[in-house]
Amino acid sequence: MPRIRRSVVRTDSFFNALGKLGGNYDKRAGSRFVAGTLLDEITLDNLYHFNDLAATICDTYPGEALREGFEFQIPDDLATAAKVNNRVAELQLVELIKQASVWGRVFGDACIMLGVDDGQAVDQPLDYARVRGIKFLAVYDRRDFTIASYYNNPLEQHFNTPEYYTMQRVNPIRGVLDPSVSAKYSAGVRIHESRLVWLKGANTSRQKLSENAGWHHSILQKPYEVIRDFEMTWAGASHLMQEASQGVYKVKGLMQILVSEQGAEGLQRRF
């Protein structure tokens, strides 16, 4: 029979009464961790486009992962493999995956829309058995969608994940419908989740997903304060460098001039 071990709580540590290290008067005892402010879409957009550190964080992994591209191999059917790879090149699949991955890291979620011809409307689940071809692939980020509904059967694999999205191109600056969208689609387009391949940003708990309208956190959320502090420190150092060099004026025989009669007045007239 296994022996039951009592849990042990460690309470020993260094203590310095004079320096107030340890104990109830330790300054550290008043510290606690609190959640930061969630970055909005405009801030994320500006960070990526105007800050080199933020752009590097978002670009590096996708760029390195797809640096040499990829190709499909079918050992028993080289002719078909060549056709597939030619079609992949025509659709610019590698570049689209890279774009979607970058925007997913920036905004938390981005997707590749599958323009698949299966003889059905886009609000129907994709039927792989009826696929006749791929018309197009397109990259969008979370700003182009709202989550319309979720799978609500707890016995299904996809329970509590999005089932339908509403696609509506909204101007992120003005918060209004983009005027380039035709009146036919002004109410949005309902799209089944099987027709969208999502690439996500940072790992986000279900609780945080619900707090963020179902979207993942940006990969820039965690290092944001470090980036901000670094940029402010760098700017401060630049100001210090400008002020560190002070001009020094020398006057030969200055002491003799000052102690002489009307020396100070003469010095003032000179300069």
Side-chain angles (χ1 to χ4, degrees):
M1 180 176 179
R3 300 177 60 184
I4 299 177
R5 299 180 60 185
R6 294 183 177 180
S7 60
V8 178
V9 178
R10 177 171 177 171
T11 59
D12 60 320
S13 65
F14 284 99
F15 179 82
N16 187 326
L18 296 177
K20 295 183 180 180
L21 177 64
N24 296 329
Y25 296 100
D26 193 335
K27 294 181 179 180
R28 299 174 303 167
S31 303
R32 63 189 180 94
F33 187 82
V34 297
T37 302
L38 196 63
L39 299 178
D40 59 79
E41 296 167 354
I42 296 177
T43 300
L44 293 171
D45 201 359
N46 290 335
L47 270 173
Y48 177 77
H49 286 99
F50 301 107
N51 184 271
D52 57 341
L53 293 178
T56 300
I57 291 172
C58 296
D59 288 339
T60 299
Y61 280 6
E64 286 298 312
L66 298 170
R67 177 163 48 89
E68 298 185 2
F70 60 84
E71 64 178 20
F72 293 91
Q73 297 184 355
I74 308 176
D76 299 331
D77 194 344
L78 298 180
T80 300
K83 292 180 180 178
V84 170
N85 287 316
N86 288 337
R87 185 56 176 153
V88 166
E90 291 175 0
L91 294 170
Q92 299 182 325
L93 180 59
V94 175
E95 181 60 28
L96 292 178
I97 294 175
K98 183 187 299 184
Q99 289 181 19
S101 181
V102 169
W103 298 136
R105 292 170 67 81
V106 174
F107 297 108
D109 291 274
C111 71
I112 299 177
M113 178 185 288
L114 306 177
V116 176
D117 179 12
D118 65 344
Q120 300 187 102
V122 294
D123 62 348
Q124 298 299 313
L126 181 60
D127 188 346
Y128 293 95
R130 300 174 60 182
V131 172
R132 292 176 293 211
I134 301 177
K135 295 180 178 180
F136 67 89
L137 300 173
V139 174
Y140 297 95
D141 60 63
R142 77 178 198 191
R143 297 174 296 176
D144 300 309
F145 295 90
T146 56
I147 300 174
S149 63
Y150 291 81
Y151 288 103
N152 55 17
N153 186 348
L155 301 180
E156 289 183 352
Q157 178 183 358
H158 301 295
F159 172 64
N160 210 29
T161 60
E163 181 179 12
Y164 287 98
Y165 295 87
T166 299
M167 181 183 181
Q168 181 169 292
R169 182 58 182 172
V170 173
N171 187 314
I173 304 299
R174 299 177 183 174
V176 298
L177 183 66
D178 195 318
S180 64
V181 178
S182 64
K184 179 181 178 181
Y185 300 110
S186 60
V189 180
R190 187 177 174 89
I191 303 177
H192 191 265
E193 56 86 13
S194 60
R195 298 177 185 272
L196 303 170
V197 178
W198 288 94
L199 289 92
K200 302 175 176 58
N203 288 332
T204 310
S205 67
R206 288 184 180 273
Q207 180 65 33
K208 293 302 180 183
L209 283 172
S210 64
E211 295 175 2
N212 197 31
W215 303 115
H216 290 77
H217 285 185
S218 166
I219 205 74
L220 298 175
Q221 182 67 49
K222 295 176 182 176
Y224 171 69
E225 292 188 1
V226 177
I227 295 174
R228 180 197 61 192
D229 293 347
F230 174 82
E231 294 291 353
M232 295 302 295
T233 303
W234 185 263
S238 177
H239 284 289
L240 289 175
M241 291 297 294
Q242 295 181 33
E243 298 175 358
S245 179
Q246 298 292 334
V248 178
Y249 293 93
K250 294 183 179 181
V251 178
K252 187 174 182 180
L254 177 62
M255 291 300 298
Q256 288 76 9
I257 295 175
L258 292 176
V259 299
S260 64
E261 185 177 357
Q262 298 181 345
E265 295 180 2
L267 189 65
Q268 290 177 358
R269 288 195 299 270
R270 178 178 179 183
F271 293 97

